[in-house]
Amino acid sequence: MNTTATTRYRVDWVDYAKGICIFFVVMLHVNDLVQNHVKEIGWLEHVVLFARPFRMPDFFLIAGLFLSQVINRPWRLYIDRKVVHFYYFYLLWMTVEFLVFDARHSLAEGASTAAIAQNYLLRFVNPSGALWFIHILPLFFLVTRVTKSVPWWAMWLAGAAIHSLQPHTGWVVIDEFAARYIYFYSGYMFAQHVFRIADWALRHTRAALLYLVGWALLNGALVQAGWSGLPGVSLFLGYAGALAIIFTAGLVSKVSWTKPVRFIGEHSIVLYLADYVVSVVVMRLFLPFIPDVGSLALTVTVATVLGTVLLWQVLLRTPLRFMYVRPDWLHLVPAKPGRVTPAKSAASQA
């Protein structure tokens, strides 16, 4: 793919698409947190359910879009950028969450030190909570690199098959790999087609809007009927929803005041890392003032997005900047000067 064209497309819509998706992801986490705390279902649950068929499929499809540019790098460099990078941030933030929330709760319930340690070590292979995305992304990069000589149609059929099987083993890595890899691989293999479709939508606004209306009605109807998770239907809605987000991102990118959407998309990993920690604090701040559950969840969602960005910017200026910037001594291959700036940090290699 032409490098200049790729850069232009990234500016125009890719980060906007990621921004839309990360907002829905934070909304999901916050809504669950708020509803579990107050023991009541709010109106925002309908929005969360509507977004379920496309929220993560689009995220993973976009994550695979630029892989073709780096997949043939030397193994050492590839492992450094696509495996060590993400596992560093996963292990770091998983440890923070575990110590602040899980370990303290387990101690209060009288759990033994051995049981707490075992639970912590289990998180290395079986992530718990929102950070599973950071944990599984390196696995997608590895599998795609190892199988790059396998015919694309065989990989796609295999991905579609395991997606349709919908395994529920209790192991997050296995279940989420089966559910999500097909979209990541599609982003990698069909990147040029995705960019062409996005370019078409940018040039045909009315047609894109008509598609969005039809998709929204169909997606909403299938979710309401309880059919969105059925084999085949879920795969169709995943692709259809990803296309809808791409169209929406293209249209939104034409409006100058929507640049904050692009900003949070460009730094989506930053939000993903800290949204749980921040949302717990923010929820307690707003809880006494907003009685309506749905409104509380939406307010906390917006405040969490802002709070994660603020936390990131503050910590970058302290000795705790390693929470967002991988130390030089943890690079298998030294980073080129200026390649990873504090402004990009954890998000730069997503």
Side-chain angles (χ1 to χ4, degrees):
M1 225 182 306
N2 181 274
T3 303
T4 303
T6 299
T7 302
R8 178 170 61 83
Y9 281 124
R10 185 177 183 86
V11 169
D12 284 347
W13 66 267
V14 172
D15 288 326
Y16 285 91
K18 290 169 64 178
I20 295 168
C21 287
I22 192 60
F23 185 81
F24 279 121
V25 168
V26 174
M27 180 188 292
L28 166 68
H29 299 161
V30 168
N31 190 61
D32 286 347
L33 176 69
V34 170
Q35 291 185 161
N36 288 336
H37 184 82
V38 302
K39 310 299 182 188
E40 185 180 340
I41 303 297
W43 59 263
L44 196 64
E45 178 73 5
H46 297 293
V47 181
V48 170
L49 292 177
F50 177 85
R52 178 175 292 171
F54 63 86
R55 182 175 49 233
M56 294 313 296
D58 187 66
F59 229 136
F60 280 112
L61 186 142
I62 291 175
L65 280 181
F66 299 96
L67 181 56
S68 61
Q69 298 179 10
V70 300
I71 197 168
N72 291 316
R73 283 175 173 175
W75 264 108
R76 187 178 179 87
L77 179 60
Y78 191 81
I79 293 293
D80 179 70
R81 302 292 193 260
K82 297 302 183 185
V83 179
V84 176
H85 182 78
F86 290 102
Y87 277 140
Y88 166 75
F89 290 109
Y90 169 75
L91 293 175
L92 181 62
W93 283 90
M94 179 273 289
T95 300
V96 170
E97 288 189 11
F98 186 84
L99 292 176
V100 173
F101 300 108
D102 301 290
R104 187 176 64 176
H105 182 72
S106 298
L107 285 172
E109 291 186 339
S112 65
T113 303
I116 294 174
Q118 183 180 23
N119 188 18
Y120 172 71
L121 293 175
L122 185 62
R123 301 286 177 88
F124 282 66
V125 294
N126 190 37
S128 176
L131 291 174
W132 68 267
F133 172 81
I134 312 297
H135 185 282
I136 206 170
L137 202 54
L139 181 60
F140 286 1
F141 286 123
L142 282 174
V143 169
T144 308
R145 172 66 183 259
V146 171
T147 61
K148 67 177 182 176
S149 61
V150 177
W152 72 266
W153 54 266
M155 288 295 297
W156 189 90
L157 287 175
I162 61 174
H163 174 89
S164 298
L165 288 174
Q166 300 181 346
H168 297 285
T169 64
W171 287 84
V172 173
V173 172
I174 296 174
D175 295 347
E176 294 295 347
F177 184 95
R180 313 299 183 186
Y181 182 70
I182 182 65
Y183 301 111
F184 179 86
Y185 186 80
S186 296
Y188 159 66
M189 184 53 58
F190 307 125
Q192 294 190 38
H193 300 292
V194 172
F195 284 113
R196 290 193 187 104
I197 291 172
D199 184 60
W200 176 88
L202 286 169
R203 290 183 287 106
H204 299 83
T205 302
R206 289 186 179 181
L209 287 172
L210 285 174
Y211 173 84
L212 289 174
V213 171
W215 161 79
L217 293 173
L218 178 61
N219 185 83
L222 292 174
V223 168
Q224 183 66 29
W227 297 345
S228 61
L230 295 177
V233 177
S234 63
L235 185 60
F236 167 76
L237 287 181
Y239 281 125
L243 195 61
I245 295 298
I246 290 169
F247 284 7
T248 303
L251 297 176
V252 168
S253 69
K254 296 180 179 181
V255 184
S256 59
W257 57 264
T258 61
K259 288 182 179 179
V261 177
R262 176 189 169 192
F263 180 84
I264 66 172
E266 187 179 6
H267 304 95
S268 58
I269 300 296
V270 169
L271 274 69
Y272 217 113
L273 290 173
D275 80 315
Y276 182 72
V277 174
V278 173
S279 63
V280 171
V281 176
V282 171
M283 180 188 69
R284 296 186 182 280
L285 291 176
F286 285 101
L287 194 59
F289 305 105
I290 305 178
D292 179 71
V293 178
S295 301
L296 174 63
L298 181 59
T299 303
V300 175
T301 297
V302 175
T304 296
V305 170
L306 298 175
T308 53
V309 173
L310 177 62
L311 178 66
W312 165 51
Q313 288 296 307
V314 169
L315 293 187
L316 282 179
R317 292 159 174 80
T318 73
L320 293 177
R321 71 190 306 270
F322 66 87
M323 299 293 291
Y324 294 99
V325 180
R326 182 162 51 120
D328 291 340
W329 61 273
L330 279 175
H331 284 264
L332 299 179
V333 178
K336 294 180 180 179
R339 183 182 187 279
V340 181
T341 66
K344 303 281 186 181
S345 60
S348 64
Q349 296 175 40

